[in-house]
Amino acid sequence: MQPFPGFSDGAPRLVALPSAFFNDLLPLIDDLAELHVTLFCFWAVQQREGRFRYVRHRELAGHAPLQAALATTAPEIDPDESLAAALDRACARRSLLRAEVTIGSAPEMLYFINAEGGRAAHQQVLSGAWRPGDADHPIELLPERPTIYALYEQNIGPLTPMIADALKDAEHDYPQGWIVDAMRVAVERNARSWRFIASVLDRWRREGHTSGHPADQTQTEGQTQTHETAAGSSHERGERRVTDDFSDFIIR
């Protein structure tokens, strides 16, 4: 047995492991090579920057200390075969997730920790939400699009339970792009309310989706006077009339 000389002094770079690793996962791992590979992946993903992190198969196969550990664990087996078997076991146990991508004409396997960030990254790769990166980072994950609930909170107002239910119903009735466009129209018209957004969606359902941008504003003098008179009447009642394409909408 070769003795371990001890950890070096100074400020060592620490590797975070969730408590569930020791309480839930460790009792399940019954193969030493699988344990080596799983621990290495926890270390390797933390060497990357950004929210979405992964380990390349070539990093596993080319890391000399890991290869030495695998060779010590099973001297009679080629380290590459031991690595492949350990990865299969970890993925079958779902402590690791994997996805294959094609960079240029060469396939490459990527591995993710089965945690929140790893699951999100894994799903993005499977759904094709990535683009080629550089040599060190072969894929670049595209930013996640905010949900309509987040967009509402960020641009319209508080997400009350009633508004959340209305948005949920709208998701079933309209394409998501329509809802996003209707919110954009509400912001542009300074009519930040769900009532206005719902009215825009209903009009698009009846008359067809439009860009929501102002139409040709050429009007006759009589038309202008009529609109001004109507706007004045609305103002007297404490109402606000929205102009342009939605000039018949009144916000109370």
Side-chain angles (χ1 to χ4, degrees), residues 20-236:
F21 177 90
F22 301 98
N23 296 328
D24 302 326
L25 178 59
L26 187 59
L28 300 177
I29 298 178
D30 54 3
D31 180 81
L32 187 54
E34 179 188 349
L35 179 60
H36 285 324
V37 167
T38 303
L39 285 171
F40 175 86
C41 287
F42 270 98
W43 171 81
V45 296
Q46 294 179 50
Q47 309 312 303
R48 291 187 177 274
E49 297 180 352
R51 178 185 174 193
F52 299 117
R53 307 177 186 185
Y54 53 86
V55 184
R56 305 168 68 180
H57 187 275
R58 66 176 61 183
E59 293 169 341
L60 292 155
H63 193 266
L66 176 62
Q67 291 290 304
L70 294 173
T72 302
T73 301
E76 72 283 2
I77 303 177
D78 182 89
D80 288 337
E81 294 181 12
S82 183
L83 173 62
L87 287 169
D88 286 343
R89 292 178 67 89
C91 291
R93 201 179 303 283
R94 293 192 61 78
S95 54
L96 298 180
L97 307 172
R98 62 182 165 192
E100 185 177 87
V101 297
T102 300
I103 308 297
S105 59
E108 180 160 2
M109 192 68 73
L110 307 178
Y111 295 88
F112 308 82
I113 300 294
N114 189 3
E116 182 180 359
R119 287 190 293 271
H122 179 250
Q123 186 58 45
Q124 281 195 254
V125 172
L126 292 181
S127 64
W130 62 276
R131 59 191 172 204
D134 54 31
D136 294 329
H137 302 82
I139 69 168
E140 178 183 348
L141 297 178
L142 303 179
E144 292 182 292
R145 298 180 63 181
T147 66
I148 60 172
Y149 303 92
L151 285 173
Y152 188 94
E153 282 190 303
Q154 294 165 5
N155 297 281
I156 307 300
L159 187 65
T160 65
M162 185 176 296
I163 294 296
D165 288 341
L167 285 170
K168 184 176 181 180
D169 291 340
E171 281 188 299
H172 291 288
D173 297 336
Y174 305 100
Q176 182 170 340
W178 285 28
I179 303 173
V180 174
D181 288 346
M183 289 186 191
R184 184 178 296 112
V185 171
V187 172
E188 291 174 351
R189 303 300 189 276
N190 193 26
R192 300 169 190 255
S193 73
W194 173 249
R195 179 178 297 180
F196 179 84
I197 294 168
S199 298
V200 172
L201 290 169
D202 182 64
R203 166 168 290 185
W204 286 344
R205 178 183 58 79
R206 290 182 285 105
E207 302 177 5
H209 181 282
T210 67
S211 65
H213 293 292
D216 185 0
Q217 297 301 304
T218 304
Q219 297 175 318
T220 65
E221 183 177 349
Q223 288 174 317
T224 302
Q225 183 176 1
T226 300
H227 284 178
E228 289 175 350
T229 302
S233 300
S234 298
H235 180 71
E236 292 172 359

